[in-house]
Amino acid sequence: MSEHYDKYRAELDNIEPNNLGAIEDVSYKHVLAFIQEVNMVSISKIQRALRIGYNHAERLIERMEINGFVSKPEPNGIRTLLIHQKQSEDK
């Protein structure tokens, strides 16, 4: 999982710290790639892979739900990945 963090960190290092929109976009892109690779939507796995906080990971997953990439949470909290890698590259 550190390969995800290393790529994420390298890209973040090229962004101005006060450019929150760009930071959020980079985070979103890397989280989407990660969940597609592991084929699982898990906030805790995202937290560990990219070393981000719970609220940040949750916000990104909620954004992906709005964009149709992940399902709404089931009663047990589990979400499903609704797209495959090829489909996200097309968007």
Side-chain angles (χ1 to χ4, degrees):
M1 280 193 214
S2 70
E3 68 201 45
H4 293 284
Y5 175 74
D6 294 340
K7 290 177 187 176
Y8 173 64
R9 199 66 232 167
E11 198 164 340
L12 282 181
D13 287 343
N14 294 318
I15 299 173
E16 292 292 323
N18 59 350
N19 190 346
L20 299 179
I23 292 169
E24 193 73 7
D25 289 345
V26 166
S27 298
Y28 185 88
K29 178 178 86 171
H30 283 276
V31 167
L32 185 57
F34 174 73
I35 65 173
Q36 288 175 312
E37 183 177 310
V38 298
N39 198 31
M40 176 186 290
V41 183
S42 165
I43 291 174
S44 62
K45 285 191 182 294
I46 292 166
Q47 286 179 270
R48 287 192 300 272
L50 299 182
R51 301 179 191 168
I52 61 177
Y54 179 88
N55 291 337
H56 189 185
E58 180 181 37
R59 189 172 58 249
L60 292 166
I61 292 300
E62 288 172 352
R63 186 172 155 199
M64 288 177 195
E65 177 187 331
I66 291 167
N67 292 332
F69 294 143
V70 300
S71 69
K72 293 184 181 222
E74 299 294 325
N76 60 5
I78 294 176
R79 293 177 181 263
T80 305
L81 183 62
L82 299 175
I83 59 148
H84 300 286
Q85 186 133 12
K86 179 69 176 132
Q87 289 174 311
S88 70
E89 291 170 0
D90 294 340
K91 292 192 176 197

